[in-house]
Amino acid sequence: MNPGEPDGRPGDADEPGHGWQGRAAAVVTLTFDVDAETPVLAHGRDFAEHASTMSHQAYGPDVGLPRILDLLADLSVPATFFVPGWVAEHRPWLAPSIAEHGHEVAHHSYSHRPPTSMTAEEERADFERALAVFDRQDIEIHGHRAALWEASWQTTGLVAEHGLTYDSSLMGDDRPYKVATPAGEVVELPVHWSLDDWEQYAYLPAPHIGSVIESPAKVIELWRAELDGMRHYGGLFNLCLHPFLSGRPGRALALRRFLEYALSRADVTFARCADVARTAAADPALTIRHPQPPAAEPDVYPH
Ligand SMILES: [Zn+2]
């Protein structure tokens, strides 16, 4: 089937013989990064003393998350929740409660410090510390997303080395692809800034994590256009949302409207990241990439 010509049947990412997307024109992976306080503390431990700023971040797990879980249950939509190990450790009820709702919990670093800001040894230690938290909580982990989507050149190798199926931090395509690493191949479920609520809604006076508060109506228009594009070209609509941002009332209501639109398209299917990664890993037609740093000559780029 040409993915640009949907046949009107609901897709099934598990259906054999149709590649990673089953019979769907576009696959939606609805993802929530449950960052809580971590992106602010990554800017400076002193922000722990800011009661207002900490309450702004705690709103995510305390208010946004249960609202989102209710919304997903209402619409019977599966999702993937990327949780920093620090958040899972400080709120031991959080990851098990997500899993109990039938959703996937995935690795989102331990500290939310971006890999590009750490040494190779620090990144490895942070990566493994998060895995140890999930292991203690009996949460099965299949995939990883780098903090701030700032993966280093060793990140996908760490994902492969620790036996995970997929990463979701790179932007080299708009459909799944395989990344060859020294420790074997992993599936990449690519992301893009246009499908991240951070660029639409993130505002704090300090630290500088964003300075926008867009209208949910505009945001939904943007995501609808991108979903229709994915339906035309056959892509992965990998939406990244944050409970402290999209959990707010007007935004949650707009998200509901957007999901109702997507659910009403017969050629769109929803799946958890781990399920898409599993079918993608078995798809022989998937592109294999060998990413490596470009040769940036010092005489051309002196700084
Ligand atoms: Zn995050």
Side-chain angles (χ1 to χ4, degrees), residues 29-34 65 69 72 77-83 94-107 134 139-145 164-168 189 238 271-278:
T29 41
L30 200 54
T31 72
F32 295 90
D33 294 3
V34 191
L65 180 63
L69 289 172
L72 299 178
V77 172
T80 301
F81 291 76
F82 291 89
V83 182
L94 190 141
S97 82
I98 291 169
E100 277 162 22
H101 280 78
H103 303 297
E104 177 190 358
V105 175
H107 184 322
F134 293 120
I139 301 286
E140 207 175 331
I141 298 293
H142 300 282
H144 167 265
R145 171 173 287 166
L164 309 189
T165 316
Y166 73 92
D167 177 72
S168 183
L189 302 179
N238 192 13
R272 303 180 305 175
C273 289
D275 299 327
V276 176
R278 185 165 35 82

Side-chain angles (χ1 to χ4, degrees), residues 33-40 54 57-58 60-61 84 86-87 91 94 244:
D33 294 3
V34 191
D35 293 341
E37 296 88 351
T38 57
V40 171
M54 288 297 102
Q57 299 305 121
W86 186 93
V87 175
R91 294 176 171 86
L94 190 141
F244 80 95

